[in-house]
Amino acid sequence: MADLYPSIAQIAVVVTALKILLWPAYKSTDFEVHRNWLAITNSLPVKDWYYEKTSEWTLDYPPFFAYFEWLLSRAAYYADPAMLKVDNLEYQSWQTVYFQRSTVIATDLVLVFALYRHVQTSPTALQKNSHAVAISILLSPALLIIDHIHFQYNGFLYGILILSIVSARKQSTMLVGGLLFAALLCFKHIYLYLAPAYFVYLLRAYCLSQTSMLRIRFGNCVKLALGLSSTFGAAFGAFWVRGQQDQVLSRLFPFSRGLCHAYWAPNVWAIYSFTDRVLIYVAPKLRLPVNQAALNSVTRGLVGDSSFAVLPNISPKATFILTLFFQTLCLIKLFFQPTWETFVGAVTLCGYASFLFGWHVHEKAILLVIIPFSLLALKDRRYLGAFRPLAVAGHVSLFPLLFTAAEFPVKAVYTLSWLILFLLVFDRLAPVSSRPRVFLLDRFSLLYITVSIPLVIYGSLMHELFFGPKFEFLPLMFISSYSAVGIVGSWIGFSVVYFTS
């Protein structure tokens, strides 16, 4: 790896300097969420963590993340003890801001190490491409926007995910990969969407014989079972022995939320919602019934139930069935072809299915698709062709998270520079596929990227000049629906590649 330049460590130093410069930038309510969790875990006994509700931002992550916040709170005391008071709501001293920002940067070292391991464990002939992918993830505009401006801790969590995927490459470290993923679930339960791919892969490649599916490797089954029970026991045991499992689960899975988030995540339901808005104006001419009570539901972006004015309402059961169906399709291939690349492809498609068809999906969940897909993007030009619209749509869809004028140059210029640089580099590195490419998908990718530029300019600048504060939901709707088309197109393209490879 000595001839790979610039090194991952060098890039990490440069991007860290940029992240520090962003400390005074806009921060979302997630900043107060994590400050409150620091206060809860520091000030209260463990038995009260999942009951405390002084703030509306109650603890709703699994126990490992709660323990993580407790560890951070030990250091937070020396930065500013006032941030650790539960009743000190919306507290934002400069010491608090700088401390919390710095913890995100420090924990990104997990991501740096994971990417280093990805390059190190790649076959020698593929290390150059793996290195390019690693640098693209380390410089990701999505992680910069979500973690270091908006404020979250996704960097180290996706570092654990990448470590688990990389560990699953070899039989000797496959168990480690499975246990790392189990630990990840105990940090943030959104990764449950990817769990079916891990289950099938570990079952077929680790628990069953490579030569015969009928031969069970009992020793491996025992090791995996002990490892999983120990991991989940370490996370949930303290709450289980107190009989608090129902309270913890009620916090982790609040089923009262509606189909669409406040800002529509760019998925199938965004297209469905957009179609419903269009049909409201067309319905009288077509003599279609209109539900007057639902006219304002999806435009307001309520967290509660979303009702549709013309199209049928969608139930949680319907989204679950669709998600499970499309995940099952890719898992069938993984079961009969349990290679590492098929596994990563299945992880990616499980991410796609849950993002596109899931209930109350957040726009930030697109990282569940972008990160694992990045590991395959340079396999050949067919994979890259499916990755391009995802890279554009996934990052553009995050722009509404930063709605203040001061952050527009950062998000627009940095994201555009990243897209130009890495899509050009990837285009040079991706080898020609031995299988024919799909012409329509290639043309779709080119047209889609071309349209993105004027749309971003309109949504971020021109709309306010033309309409002022009026119709503020309009650019959000356009960006969400446009991004949804790109992600759906990418999903179709990658599905074709996955099932024909």
Side-chain angles (χ1 to χ4, degrees):
M1 290 178 59
D3 58 337
L4 297 176
Y5 180 84
S7 70
I8 291 176
Q10 290 169 330
I11 293 296
V13 170
V14 172
V15 76
T16 297
L18 174 60
K19 293 170 183 176
I20 292 174
L21 291 175
L22 293 173
W23 280 3
Y26 159 81
K27 52 190 176 297
S28 72
T29 53
D30 281 339
F31 181 87
E32 169 61 15
V33 169
H34 288 281
R35 187 216 58 79
N36 186 54
W37 293 357
L38 288 173
I40 290 173
T41 54
N42 179 266
S43 305
L44 302 176
V46 174
K47 64 182 180 66
D48 294 332
W49 286 0
Y50 286 94
Y51 287 91
E52 165 57 36
K53 54 182 180 180
T54 301
S55 168
E56 63 179 306
W57 311 118
T58 54
L59 180 59
D60 58 3
Y61 274 24
F64 272 0
F65 202 93
Y67 298 145
F68 166 72
E69 293 278 7
W70 177 84
L71 284 173
L72 293 182
S73 73
R74 303 292 99 181
Y77 176 83
Y78 297 98
D80 185 353
M83 78 172 83
L84 300 176
K85 297 178 180 179
V86 174
D87 58 354
N88 215 356
L89 304 182
E90 305 295 336
Y91 185 75
Q92 295 186 11
S93 68
W94 69 265
Q95 294 96 330
T96 302
V97 173
Y98 285 12
F99 172 78
Q100 290 194 239
R101 293 285 197 193
S102 65
T103 59
V104 180
I105 294 176
T107 55
D108 276 353
L109 288 173
V110 177
L111 177 63
V112 174
F113 176 72
L115 294 172
Y116 171 78
R117 287 289 299 159
H118 170 58
V119 179
Q120 187 183 47
T121 58
S122 296
T124 304
L126 300 178
Q127 283 194 350
K128 184 177 181 180
N129 285 8
S130 297
H131 184 70
V133 167
I135 292 178
S136 75
I137 295 175
L138 198 55
L139 294 173
S140 167
L143 290 175
L144 189 75
I145 290 171
I146 297 173
D147 283 6
H148 301 280
I149 302 179
H150 184 272
F151 195 86
Q152 280 191 358
Y153 288 92
N154 290 287
F156 95 90
L157 294 174
Y158 280 98
I160 297 173
L161 176 65
I162 292 172
L163 273 176
S164 73
I165 292 174
V166 169
S167 298
R169 193 195 298 263
K170 297 179 180 179
Q171 184 72 211
S172 60
T173 54
M174 196 172 292
L175 176 62
V176 175
L179 298 184
L180 280 171
F181 183 74
L184 180 62
L185 293 178
C186 296
F187 274 102
K188 193 171 183 178
H189 49 305
I190 192 175
Y191 296 99
L192 275 170
Y193 290 136
L194 310 181
Y198 276 85
F199 173 79
V200 171
Y201 185 62
L202 289 171
L203 171 66
R204 184 63 185 87
Y206 187 74
C207 294
L208 300 179
S209 171
Q210 296 290 305
T211 56
S212 173
M213 291 184 291
L214 300 179
R215 289 179 55 194
I216 301 174
R217 302 159 81 176
F218 288 102
N220 286 358
C221 291
V222 171
K223 286 187 286 186
L224 181 60
L226 288 175
L228 292 177
S229 58
S230 298
T231 302
F232 289 111
F236 292 92
F239 305 95
W240 183 272
V241 296
R242 292 182 172 90
Q244 297 180 346
Q245 61 272 15
D246 291 341
Q247 175 64 19
V248 174
L249 292 176
S250 69
R251 285 283 183 87
L252 300 185
F253 303 101
F255 293 108
S256 60
R257 295 174 179 174
L259 174 66
C260 296
H261 192 240
Y263 159 59
W264 300 345
N267 58 12
V268 166
W269 309 125
I271 298 174
Y272 192 85
S273 298
F274 179 79
T275 304
D276 187 71
R277 305 320 296 172
V278 172
L279 287 176
I280 289 173
Y281 300 99
V282 179
K285 297 180 180 179
L286 299 178
R287 297 183 179 179
L288 296 174
V290 178
N291 180 4
Q292 296 295 326
L295 282 178
N296 294 323
S297 174
V298 288
T299 52
R300 288 201 312 266
L302 294 178
V303 176
D305 293 335
S306 293
S307 300
F308 294 96
V310 180
L311 296 177
N313 288 328
I314 304 298
S315 67
K317 183 179 179 180
T319 65
F320 175 78
I321 291 173
L322 285 170
T323 301
L324 183 62
F325 172 75
F326 286 109
Q327 286 189 342
T328 302
L329 294 180
C330 68
L331 296 177
I332 292 172
K333 177 178 179 178
L334 176 61
F335 185 82
F336 290 102
Q337 188 180 322
T339 65
W340 183 78
E341 289 178 343
T342 307
F343 164 62
V344 180
V347 169
T348 303
L349 284 173
C350 282
Y352 266 120
S354 59
F355 183 83
L356 290 175
F357 301 101
W359 180 266
H360 195 76
V361 175
H362 288 239
E363 68 284 346
K364 297 182 285 293
I366 191 59
L367 287 171
L368 287 172
V369 183
I370 293 177
I371 298 297
F373 196 169
S374 297
L375 304 181
L376 293 176
L378 292 182
K379 179 174 170 58
D380 63 43
R381 301 190 70 82
R382 295 200 310 158
Y383 284 82
L384 180 59
F387 181 75
R388 284 195 198 101
L390 171 68
V392 175
H395 289 96
V396 169
S397 71
L398 298 174
F399 279 14
L401 289 175
L402 307 181
F403 50 83
T404 55
E407 278 71 37
F408 175 75
V410 177
K411 69 179 182 183
V413 175
Y414 184 84
T415 302
L416 183 61
S417 300
W418 185 91
L419 287 170
I420 292 173
L421 173 62
F422 284 103
L423 290 183
L424 288 176
V425 170
F426 283 11
D427 192 64
R428 294 185 62 180
L429 291 175
V432 176
S433 173
S434 59
R435 295 177 179 271
R437 295 160 66 183
V438 181
F439 177 81
L440 287 177
L441 292 176
D442 286 346
R443 299 288 79 78
F444 165 78
S445 177
L446 178 62
L447 176 63
Y448 186 81
I449 294 172
T450 303
V451 173
S452 67
I453 298 174
L455 181 65
V456 170
I457 293 174
Y458 167 75
S460 302
L461 296 175
M462 304 305 295
H463 176 83
E464 189 170 352
L465 291 177
F466 290 150
F467 299 105
K470 297 179 180 179
F471 312 116
E472 63 178 349
F473 193 79
L474 197 60
L476 297 179
M477 182 174 65
F478 285 155
I479 290 176
S480 178
S481 301
Y482 162 82
S483 299
V485 170
I487 294 171
V488 170
S490 171
W491 169 61
I492 294 172
F494 182 63
S495 296
V496 171
V497 173
Y498 178 84
F499 287 108
T500 59
S501 295

